[in-house]
């Protein structure tokens, strides 16, 4: 779901910014840059967080925080885009600043989920590579599904704000399940001996 929702929000970013900065390669370059930068930071932070007593309660909190940072996009994306456009009309820099303000924090938190997921699923150092590979396989399939579902269907059936609300509610629901129905803490063991 995380890969699905990252791509949903990224694609909606283009629709959010296009009334102000257009749909040029500059705008998409800004959006993609912010998402890639945010995901790289999120991967690093999520990996560090997973070292300290990983458990599904903390995992649930990541989803809840992601939901809480996606929610303001529904309320403030027009105001932020309008404010940035009033100071920076150049589509290159205006879209970069607006993308950073709107998408950096939510995407950092969404990026933290993947490495934390790997840590929760790995039960031995011997199988860690296979587990990580499988998780990234599933996540990337989710990203592909989110890209197609959003671009082919969701934007035709729903308003941008409704899709964002739905994304936030889904993240929040997943977070609640992980938080209130925790699995026991896992300890990584070296079973290669």
């Amino acid at each position: 779901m995380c890969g699905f929702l990252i791509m949903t929000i990224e694609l909606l970013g283009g629709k959010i910014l296009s009334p102000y900065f257009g749909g040029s390669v500059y705008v998409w370059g800004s959006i993609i840059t912010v998402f890639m930068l945010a995901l790289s930071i999120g991967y690093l932070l999520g990996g560090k967080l997973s070292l300290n007593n990983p458990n599904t309660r903390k995992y649930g909190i990541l989803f809840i925080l992601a939901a809480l940072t996606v929610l303001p996009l529904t309320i403030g994306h027009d105001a932020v885009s309008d404010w940035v456009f009033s100071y920076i009309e150049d589509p290159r820099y205006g879209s970069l600043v607006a993308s950073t303000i709107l998408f950096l924090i939510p995407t950092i938190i969404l990026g933290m989920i993947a490495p934390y997921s790997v840590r929760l699923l790995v039960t031995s150092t011997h199988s860690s590579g296979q587990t990580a590979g499988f998780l990234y396989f599933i996540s990337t399939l989710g990203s592909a599904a989110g890209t197609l579902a959003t671009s082919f269907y969701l934007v035709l059936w729903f308003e941008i704000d409704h899709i964002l609300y739905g994304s936030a509610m889904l993240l929040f629901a997943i977070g609640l399940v992980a938080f209130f129905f925790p699995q026991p803490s896992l300890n990584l063991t070296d079973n290669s001996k």
Side-chain angles (χ1 to χ4, degrees):
M1 283 313 307
C2 192
F4 186 102
L5 294 173
I6 287 170
M7 291 311 300
T8 294
I9 294 165
E10 186 171 356
L11 285 169
L12 293 178
K15 290 191 67 69
I16 288 169
L17 296 181
S18 66
Y20 300 91
F21 303 105
S24 70
V25 70
Y26 303 127
V27 175
W28 279 106
S30 295
I31 292 168
I32 292 168
T33 298
V34 168
F35 271 77
M36 293 296 100
L37 177 64
L39 287 172
S40 66
I41 294 167
Y43 296 153
L44 184 65
L45 294 176
K48 284 186 176 279
L49 182 65
S50 75
L51 295 175
N52 184 16
N53 188 28
N55 60 69
T56 55
R57 285 190 185 272
K58 289 180 186 176
Y59 190 59
I61 290 170
L62 287 176
F63 278 93
I64 291 168
L65 287 174
L68 293 176
T69 59
V70 167
L71 200 54
L73 290 175
T74 61
I75 301 163
H77 65 79
D78 283 330
V80 168
S81 298
D82 191 47
W83 178 76
V84 171
F85 184 73
S86 69
Y87 289 99
I88 310 170
E89 291 183 20
D90 186 321
R92 294 172 297 177
Y93 305 110
S95 62
L96 183 60
V97 170
S99 294
T100 302
I101 293 169
L102 291 169
F103 305 116
L104 185 72
I105 300 300
T107 310
I108 286 173
I109 296 170
L110 286 165
M112 293 174 71
I113 292 170
Y116 206 93
S117 300
V118 170
R119 180 60 184 94
L120 288 176
L121 291 173
V122 168
T123 56
S124 73
T125 55
H126 180 69
S127 65
S128 61
Q130 182 179 358
T131 302
F134 180 74
L135 181 72
Y136 284 104
F137 166 75
I138 295 296
S139 177
T140 304
L141 283 181
S143 295
T147 301
L148 288 177
T150 302
S151 60
F152 285 18
Y153 302 106
L154 295 179
V155 295
L156 300 175
W157 298 339
F158 303 103
E159 297 291 325
I160 292 173
D161 292 347
H162 295 151
I163 300 168
L164 290 171
Y165 277 126
S167 299
M169 289 189 322
L170 187 56
L171 287 165
F172 195 76
I174 293 168
L176 289 178
V177 169
F179 187 83
F180 287 111
F181 301 98
Q183 298 297 313
S185 293
L186 301 171
N187 292 317
L188 183 64
T189 58
D190 188 353
N191 292 337
S192 61
K193 296 177 182 174

